[in-house]
Amino acid sequence: MTISRNLKPVLLKKTVLFIINPISGGKSKSHVPELIAQNLDLVQFEYTYRFTEGVGHARELAKEAVQKGIDIVIAVGGDGTINEIASVLSGTDKILGIIPMGSGNGLGTSLAIPFDVAKAIGVLNRMQVMTIDSATLNGHPFFNVSGIGFDAEISARFARDKSRGLWGYVRNTIAEIIHYRPKWYKLTIDGIVYHRQAFMISLANSTQYGNNAHIAPEASLTDGLLDFCVIKPFELYLFPILAYRLFSKTAHRSKFIEIFKAREIKVERDEPGPVHLDGEPVQMGTELLISLKPATLKVIH
């Protein structure tokens, strides 16, 4: 019997599902399937794509993908779309990919993924995978930045607004800031109790909200800690200065921003209200429990 020496190993392609949110960021996604076909490495990957049809649909599609054994699920949208998909993939051996096409794109920007779709697909082709931390707020997962107070109220307004994108967010911010009043909170941070009056509280796994607004410039997606940011009350005329701090990556140096690094946090407030999870508003009660979950999500970067 003769054995050929020219046999080559068969490359098993990774299976990929692109989940495309057609309305995120107010940007058309009709051209995305064509760009995938043109730019994805079809030697490495075998792919399909689906468009979402409403809130929660990305989560359902991700669950179906996991059940079918799909290797990689790509979120084409913003942080809310990523949250739905990552909530399903977290704690599994499945891998998240990101094509950032939302209003803020906080997690995608933190991972240095280009906004240009073809270039973002090029990142997928390189298949560099890292494992990042996640967190929960009253059992609800988040992966980038969540919040309590002013920015949660903004997220609630923004969700009701028919217009999307950065300028819609700016308009809602201006409308809300005129009337918003800081609130008192009891904070238990890794077992130590603090009492603080705060304009808002941000729970930062990455450095930024999105659009390069960095609330926690020293945060890390892989350090096993949340940056718990308390934004203290300030006079309205100082708002542009605080905004400058965000965009110049110097928020941690402001006397109005106090940052704790922690894994387990309890926030107690006087009344129920909205919080936001990666920008998506959710109504919650007076007691909020936040927990960091180290090294739970595989993501291409």
Side-chain angles (χ1 to χ4, degrees), residues 41-53:
D41 182 355
L42 300 182
V43 174
Q44 287 193 81
F45 305 116
E46 181 179 288
Y47 78 93
T48 55
Y49 65 86
R50 296 282 302 275
F51 283 91
T52 61
E53 298 174 0

Side-chain angles (χ1 to χ4, degrees), residues 105-206:
N105 303 306
L107 188 58
T109 304
S110 294
L111 293 166
I113 298 172
F115 289 174
D116 180 272
V117 175
K119 292 179 179 178
I121 294 170
V123 171
L124 303 178
N125 290 337
R126 293 198 297 271
M127 269 302 290
Q128 295 177 348
V129 179
M130 66 187 295
T131 304
I132 67 171
D133 303 331
S134 63
T136 58
L137 173 51
N138 281 6
H140 296 264
F142 66 94
F143 302 87
N144 187 52
V145 178
S146 291
I148 304 158
F150 176 75
D151 61 338
E153 296 286 352
I154 293 300
S155 293
R157 287 184 67 114
F158 188 58
R160 296 190 296 268
D161 196 333
K162 293 182 180 179
S163 63
R164 308 299 290 173
L166 174 60
W167 292 113
Y169 197 86
V170 170
R171 184 177 63 254
N172 280 287
T173 298
I174 293 170
E176 182 68 25
I177 197 171
I178 296 170
H179 307 290
Y180 188 79
R181 295 293 177 266
K183 296 177 172 57
W184 280 97
Y185 299 91
K186 179 182 177 183
L187 313 173
T188 306
I189 303 173
D190 284 341
I192 302 174
V193 176
Y194 303 85
H195 294 270
R196 293 289 189 273
Q197 188 182 31
F199 179 71
M200 66 183 192
I201 294 170
S202 294
L203 318 167
N205 192 32
S206 88

